[in-house]
Amino acid sequence: MAEYSSDEERFSALVNFFKDNKNTFLIIFIVASVFLISSLSFKSYTLSQNSKAAKLYDAWYSSQVSETSIEADDVKNFNLLQENYTNTGYAQLARMIRGSFLAKEGQLDNALEDFHELLRVSSGIFGNEMLNSIARINIARIELSQNNFSSALEVLESFSSNTEHPLVYEVRGDALIGLEKDSLALDQYSLALQNTQNESEQSILKMKINKLNN
């Protein structure tokens, strides 16, 4: 290690160090500046998108609970929300609500389209894990109702075994029953029972388990 006899030598060595590495420091400064500017710009863009999406969502949702809503405005607001702000939570929440409504009305094919689209836009690094899970469960339940048991199992495959909701185990069990894999279904129902604290859910699961054991 170099030793300096005076402060002047230390200062001179420091100046020479920066002179010798000025290009490196310049590159680091530029990269850091670009990163900071990009980060701030993205944050500003995201806030702007969310603000605009919120207004459309409020207008659309208000029409859903209003008895005097105009269908044309309802459709227009929903489409604008999906076309221009599809990656926002507001657009994805609206998609989930409409899909659930369509399913309750018996429009299963249309509901399935909404949930598949919700699954697509809520996936990935910047996706919404909660809405993605809801989409998967609803797709599986609709597929079950149409006796598409393999499709129901397929859409549930990505769930982690360590973080699954009891409903996932139960739906998977129902699909396995449809495929006449009673032993595997029993395992899933047992896991669901172990992971739920809801008494009504426990009663239903016990009935399903007893039915398989008899």
Side-chain angles (χ1 to χ4, degrees), residues 60-77:
W60 174 80
Y61 185 77
S62 295
S63 71
Q64 299 302 296
V65 298
S66 173
E67 296 180 356
T68 60
S69 63
I70 300 175
E71 185 177 356
D73 291 340
D74 179 23
V75 173
K76 178 182 177 182
N77 287 329

Side-chain angles (χ1 to χ4, degrees), residues 197-209:
Q197 303 298 321
N198 185 288
E199 292 185 0
S200 62
E201 290 178 359
Q202 289 176 348
S203 297
I204 293 173
L205 288 165
K206 287 177 181 178
M207 290 175 59
K208 292 182 177 183
I209 290 172

Side-chain angles (χ1 to χ4, degrees), residues 12-211:
S12 178
L14 184 61
V15 170
N16 290 333
F17 173 77
F18 278 105
K19 284 182 178 180
D20 294 339
N21 296 278
K22 62 181 180 181
N23 290 335
T24 300
F25 285 113
L26 180 60
I27 292 173
I28 292 174
F29 175 77
I30 292 173
V31 170
S33 298
V34 170
F35 177 80
L36 179 61
I37 293 172
S38 298
S39 178
L40 292 174
S41 297
F42 178 76
K43 184 176 181 180
S44 176
Y45 172 78
T46 300
L47 290 173
S48 175
Q49 289 290 96
N50 282 331
S51 177
K52 294 175 182 177
K55 292 179 181 178
L56 278 174
Y57 173 82
D58 288 342
W60 174 80
Y61 185 77
S62 295
S63 71
Q64 299 302 296
V65 298
S66 173
E67 296 180 356
T68 60
S69 63
I70 300 175
E71 185 177 356
D73 291 340
D74 179 23
V75 173
K76 178 182 177 182
N77 287 329
F78 183 85
N79 289 340
L80 285 173
L81 190 57
Q82 302 303 324
E83 291 168 5
N84 299 324
Y85 310 103
T86 186
N87 291 322
T88 66
Y90 293 102
Q92 294 172 22
L93 184 58
R95 179 78 69 180
M96 184 200 73
I97 292 172
R98 193 179 77 165
S100 299
F101 174 79
L102 291 171
K104 290 179 181 178
E105 292 295 307
Q107 301 181 46
L108 297 184
D109 289 339
N110 291 332
L112 199 57
E113 288 183 11
D114 267 345
F115 285 122
H116 271 295
E117 179 61 17
L118 176 60
L119 178 63
R120 185 187 69 81
V121 298
S122 63
S123 297
I125 298 175
F126 299 105
N128 187 307
E129 185 176 351
M130 182 185 72
L131 291 178
N132 191 268
S133 297
I134 291 173
R136 290 185 183 280
I137 292 173
N138 278 284
I139 290 170
R141 295 176 75 173
I142 293 174
E143 295 288 13
L144 273 179
S145 71
Q146 298 179 328
N147 295 328
N148 298 325
F149 306 117
S150 295
S151 297
L153 287 175
E154 183 179 349
V155 78
L156 297 176
E157 282 182 357
S158 67
F159 280 104
S160 168
S161 60
N162 295 323
T163 59
E164 286 181 9
H165 189 278
L167 182 58
V168 176
Y169 292 119
E170 184 179 359
V171 173
R172 188 180 284 131
D174 293 342
L176 289 166
I177 288 291
L179 294 173
E180 299 182 352
K181 298 181 179 181
D182 293 0
S183 178
L184 294 177
L186 184 59
D187 291 339
Q188 294 300 308
Y189 290 148
S190 297
L191 287 170
L193 185 60
Q194 293 171 19
N195 286 277
T196 183
Q197 303 298 321
N198 185 288
E199 292 185 0
S200 62
E201 290 178 359
Q202 289 176 348
S203 297
I204 293 173
L205 288 165
K206 287 177 181 178
M207 290 175 59
K208 292 182 177 183
I209 290 172
N210 289 336
K211 185 177 180 179

